[in-house]
Amino acid sequence: MADSERNSSGYDNQEDEEEEEVDDTVYKSVKDAVIFAIEVSASMLEKPPPSDSKKADHDSPVSAAVKCAFQLMQQRIISHPNDMMGILLYGTEKTKFHDDDRSTSSGMAFPHCYLLTDLDIPSAEDVKALKSLVEDEHEFKKVMVPAKERIQMSSVLFCANQIFTVKAPNFLSRRLFLVTDEDDPHAGNRDKKQSAAVRAKDLYDLGVFIDLFPISKPDLEFDRSKFYNDIIYSSTPTDAEAPLPLTSATKTSRSGDGITLLQSLLSSINSRSIAKRTLFSNLPLEIAPGFRISVKGYIMFKRQTPARTSYIWLQGEQAQIVEGVTTQMADDTARVVQKTEMKKAYKFGGEQILFTPEELSTLRHFGDPGITIIGFKPQSMLPFWANLKNATFIYPSEEDYVGSTRVFSALQQKLLKDEKMAVAWFVARKNAAPQIVAIWPGAEKLDEEGVQKVPPGLWIIPLPFADDIRIDPEIDIVRASDDLINRMRKVVQQLQLPKAQYRPENYPNPSLQWHYRILQAMALDEDLPEHPEDKTIPRYKQIDKRAGPYVMEWGQDLEAEYQEYLESNPKSNPFSKSIPKRPALSAKDMDPRPTKKTRPDAGEIDDQEMSKRFKDDTIKKLTVAQLKAWMGFHGMDTGGNKAILVEQVESYFEHK
C-alpha cells in the first residue's frame, strides 16, 4: 500500500483512533478574542517629569498602554494567527464605533467610546496603522483628547459586549483587558455602580472574562475594593474552578527612575495574554477505595515553536491555503483502498500479526481514565532525574463530586506539611497508556508585593518504568580534593543569579524571537535587523570582574593537583604511552623497483563496490580488514583505527 498524500499535520489519519483525546483538541485549537479597553483621561495622559536617568519613564500611561497593545498585536499576528484583537479607547472627546457608525444595530449609541482598532484578525495594515499612531505624536494627540465629562463604565462594558457579540459570537475564549488609573469612576453614585455591575454580569454570562490592569498614581495606591471588586470575577466564565491570580497594580513614578511603565505593563499583560485551558476535565482522583474527588489538569509549561509553514495555491482570484487529504492506494492497481478493507498489524519474528479494531482496543485498555493513589512516600525518595515529561498542574473541580475543593485542599496541605508525596496510577484518557506518577504538593507563591503568582495545588510528575531506565556508562571517576571543591564554591557564589533564582520570563527564546522578528519585518516592509537580540549570552565582562581572579586561582590549583595525580598514577597519563618503534627495513622493502599490485581476493571489496558504498554512505559497515585490503591496493596509509580508515576512503572519493 502507498499513501498518495500526507495530511497537513504530518500524521496518518489512522492514528486518530488509537487514543481518545479528552479536551486536548480544544486546548490546542481554541481561538481567542481580546479587546484592549484603555481609559483616556487627564491623569492617564500626564507624562512623568523629565529625568537624566537612563531608566527614566518617558511615556504617559495611555501611550504605554497603546504601545503595549501594539507589541502584543505584533506577537499574536505571528504566533496566534487565528486570534482576534481590538483596541477600544474610552473617555475620549471623539466617538467612533465600527467604521464611524455611531450606533449599533439596535440604535443605541456609545458616546466617548473610540474604537481605534476593530475586533478582527490583525492584518499587516492594522499593525502599520497602529505603529504610525504610536510614532506620530501629532496624530496621537489628535485622537487622545479626553472628554469633559466622565463616561459611565456601564456604557463601556455594554460597548464591549456589542463588539464581542457582532465580531466574535462563537469564540470560546473572549477577554476584555481594562487599563485605567481610576479606582472609583463613580464615586458616591450607587446607581451607576449597580448599572456597571449588571453590565459586567452580562459579559460574564456571555463568556467574556474581564481582566484589570490597574495603574497606581505616584501619591495614591489603586484600591480595587472601591469599585472593581464588584465587576471583576475571580474565575473565568469557561472554567469557574481554574486558578486565577490577580494582577498587581503598575506604579507610575515621579522621577521616572526604576522599571518603566511600559515594561511593567508588558510584563503583566504578557503573563496573562494566553488564556488558561484545561488539558483534561473532571478526572476522578481516587484517594482510597470508594473515596473520590474530581480534578482538572492544566499544562503550565509548553515549548513554543515557530508556526508551521503552509502550502499556498495562487492560481485563483485570492491566495488560498492548501488542505492536505490522505488517500490509501494499492501499489499494483492504483485503486483507492477503503478504510474497512485495511487491518493493522505488528511485526513479530518476521511475520505480520493481524489485529481487529476490537482486539486493538482491548490491547490498549488499562481501565477507565483516572488517578488512583497507591501510597505515600517521603519527598526525599524522589530523585531529581526521575521525570520523563513536563509535570501537569491539577486543581479541584466541583462538577462531579461536591466537596472536592475541601478534600483537595486538605490533601495538599497535609502533603506539604509532612513533606510527603503520593504515588499514583494515572490513565489520562481513554485508551491511553498508564503511567506511574508522583503527586507533588505545590505551595502558593507570591511576588514582592504580595500578589499571587502561582496558586497552591498539586503537580503530577510522570515517573519512569523499569523499561525506561538505561544503564550508566562505565567510566573511571577521579574525585577532586576538598580544597579544590571549596575553592570552586567561591566561584559559584560569585556567579549566582539574582535572588538565586532562574526566572524564565527574563530570557525569551532567541531563535524563536529572531524568526518572528524577520517574519514581521518582511510582512510590514521594515528594514531587516542585522543581529538577533539574545539575552542568554553571558555577560563576560561582569563575569570576569566578579569571578575572574577566583577562576584563575582555581585553574592553577587544578593543574597542580592534576600533575600530582599523574605522578602517582602514571598509567592514567594519555601521553605516557610509549610509541612503538618502526621495524628495520628488509632487503625487499629497500628494493627500488616497484612491486606489482595484486587485486583483492574474491571476499574483499573492488573499486566498483567501494564507489557504490561511498554513494550510499555505507563504507563504515565494512570490516577493518576489508578497508585495509582495499587501501593497501591503492597505496594508501593503512594505519589508525576504523574511523580514520573510513575517513581516508571517503576523502579519496571526494577528491577523485
Side-chain angles (χ1 to χ4, degrees), residues 124-192:
E125 295 301 322
D126 294 330
V127 178
K128 289 180 182 179
L130 191 56
K131 181 182 179 182
S132 176
L133 178 68
V134 168
E135 296 177 348
D136 190 344
E137 188 173 354
H138 177 71
E139 185 68 23
F140 186 85
K141 289 182 178 180
K142 189 192 303 185
V143 176
M144 306 298 175
V145 179
K148 297 178 182 178
E149 66 275 4
R150 179 168 290 279
I151 186 175
Q152 294 189 30
M153 286 303 299
S154 59
S155 178
V156 177
L157 298 177
F158 187 49
C159 178
N161 190 321
Q162 292 298 305
I163 297 173
F164 280 121
T165 302
V166 173
K167 293 291 184 176
N170 299 320
F171 276 48
L172 293 181
S173 175
R174 292 178 285 185
R175 294 178 294 162
L176 176 64
F177 288 177
L178 281 177
V179 183
T180 179
D181 65 347
E182 180 56 63
D183 56 6
D184 193 7
H186 301 311
N189 194 320
R190 186 174 180 180
D191 293 338
K192 290 183 179 180

Side-chain angles (χ1 to χ4, degrees), residues 17 74 102 127 170 188 240 265-267 309 367 371 428 457 464 524 526 545 551 556 584 602 615 655:
E17 297 181 353
Q74 285 181 305
R102 294 173 58 94
V127 178
N170 299 320
L265 266 179
L266 273 174
S267 176
T309 57
I371 308 170
L524 303 180
E526 298 175 347
K545 183 178 179 180
V551 173
Q556 294 171 0
K615 295 177 182 178
H655 297 86

Side-chain angles (χ1 to χ4, degrees), residues 187-208:
N189 194 320
R190 186 174 180 180
D191 293 338
K192 290 183 179 180
K193 285 185 177 181
Q194 183 64 28
S195 178
V198 171
R199 293 301 184 189
K201 184 63 167 62
D202 292 342
L203 280 173
Y204 186 86
D205 293 339
L206 187 66
V208 178

Side-chain angles (χ1 to χ4, degrees), residues 222-241:
F222 194 97
D223 188 357
R224 297 170 182 267
S225 62
K226 291 182 178 179
F227 175 77
Y228 284 98
N229 279 352
D230 294 332
I231 69 170
I232 304 296
Y233 291 83
S234 60
S235 60
T236 62
T238 56
D239 192 357
E241 287 92 8

Side-chain angles (χ1 to χ4, degrees), residues 373-414:
I373 292 180
I374 302 173
F376 300 92
K377 294 288 184 180
Q379 294 180 4
S380 58
M381 293 188 67
L382 181 64
F384 76 95
W385 51 262
N387 191 346
L388 290 178
K389 300 178 182 177
N390 291 341
T392 303
F393 185 79
I394 59 174
Y395 212 69
S397 170
E398 295 284 332
E399 292 187 23
D400 290 347
Y401 299 94
V402 178
S404 294
T405 303
R406 181 178 299 179
V407 175
F408 184 93
S409 177
L411 175 64
Q412 183 262 347
Q413 293 181 41
K414 183 62 176 176

Side-chain angles (χ1 to χ4, degrees), residues 546-559:
R546 296 173 60 180
Y550 297 105
V551 173
M552 296 298 294
E553 182 182 353
W554 182 85
Q556 294 171 0
D557 293 341
L558 174 63
E559 179 64 23

